[in-house]
Amino acid sequence: MKSVPVRCPVCSRDHAYVAPAYPCPCGAPTAPPLLPGAPAVQVVRRTWDEDWVTVRCTACDRRDQWPQPELCCPCGTLLRIPVRPVDEPAAPPGPVAPAHIPLPRTAAHPRPTFRPRTIRTGHDAVSAAALYLTWLGYREVARPRTRPAGGIDLRATGLVAQVDATTRPVELRAVECLWLNALGASAAGVFFSLAGYVAEARARADGIGLPLFVMDLDGTPQPVNSPADELVSTGA
């Protein structure tokens, strides 16, 4: 995907920006179409509606809400990158993949059997998730020194993860917040839960390609959607 030039209106620093691509439910990589030549806008105050844009998948013509592309300039200014409106003729629909079919393992090197850690406390749940991410191939998995307000429990190279150890299913907003945090960090996101997810949260995670895992008390995470199946199959 081609980059577009972006100039910060505050410090006049020039950037080359590429919109992040995420898989559509049909499997095709999809990214918001940037508007070349349009100036970036400084984000002064956030609103929920302005944080999302409508994007059309060119493979299956599905239209869905995606995060508004943003760039944080080194001067500290948060920039909103203009996106081309969805007003072009629809592309012929392509084949739609089934919602949740485990994929064959395609990791370059077979992994050893995962050895879980028993979960008795919330701290144990985070430790079990860290072990699992390391087993998947992520490097430098660690807890932030202070837990951010956004709820990030683990960080690794190119990854942020959240672990919900409560007895309530994860709500839609928590899934969307993790995704936005991952976008802001230019990283992938992974969610772990002991109590599962509400239907709206699972549907949203499927649409944005966010892997969801459920952990039992013996500390073994199980994938509950296709992005998680793919992650287990291919590894980090």
Side-chain angles (χ1 to χ4, degrees):
M1 184 170 294
K2 294 182 178 180
S3 63
V4 296
V6 176
R7 170 164 292 184
C8 176
V10 176
C11 69
S12 298
R13 188 188 302 258
D14 290 321
H15 306 273
Y17 179 82
V18 178
Y22 292 88
C24 172
C26 76
T30 306
L34 304 181
L35 195 60
V41 178
Q42 181 181 2
V43 178
V44 179
R45 180 178 60 87
R46 283 191 175 280
T47 64
W48 188 256
D49 290 340
E50 291 179 343
D51 283 342
W52 300 91
V53 292
T54 301
V55 177
R56 178 176 62 85
C57 174
T58 57
C60 69
D61 202 39
R62 177 190 176 100
R63 300 188 182 202
D64 209 342
Q65 295 296 300
W66 296 71
Q68 167 70 49
E70 294 179 349
L71 170 68
C72 186
C73 181
C75 75
T77 303
L78 182 61
L79 305 175
R80 181 174 291 126
I81 313 301
V83 172
R84 187 171 65 247
V86 181
D87 56 4
E88 299 177 354
V96 178
H100 182 64
I101 295 180
L103 301 177
R105 176 165 294 179
T106 56
H109 302 286
R111 293 187 293 269
T113 302
F114 175 68
R115 296 184 178 180
R117 174 176 295 179
T118 302
I119 296 175
R120 297 184 178 88
T121 66
H123 184 278
D124 292 338
V126 176
S127 297
L131 284 175
Y132 192 74
L133 291 172
T134 301
W135 177 75
L136 286 174
Y138 287 100
R139 296 175 296 169
E140 301 177 353
V141 180
R143 304 184 188 208
R145 292 186 177 180
T146 58
R147 191 172 190 261
I152 301 303
D153 295 292
L154 293 168
R155 292 183 181 274
T157 303
L159 175 84
V160 293
Q162 186 167 344
V163 182
D164 190 314
T166 67
T167 57
R168 298 184 304 274
V170 173
E171 299 283 346
L172 170 63
R173 183 174 181 81
V175 166
E176 291 181 330
C177 285
L178 174 61
W179 188 34
L180 290 173
N181 282 326
L183 288 175
S186 298
V190 179
F191 214 122
F192 295 88
S193 170
L194 288 179
Y197 307 81
V198 301
E200 293 83 357
R202 287 189 59 169
R204 188 61 179 161
D206 288 341
I208 59 181
L210 181 73
L212 302 180
F213 291 88
V214 169
M215 295 192 294
D216 52 25
L217 293 182
D218 76 0
T220 302
Q222 298 293 338
V224 297
N225 66 350
S226 293
D229 281 326
E230 183 175 1
L231 179 57
V232 173
S233 297
T234 61

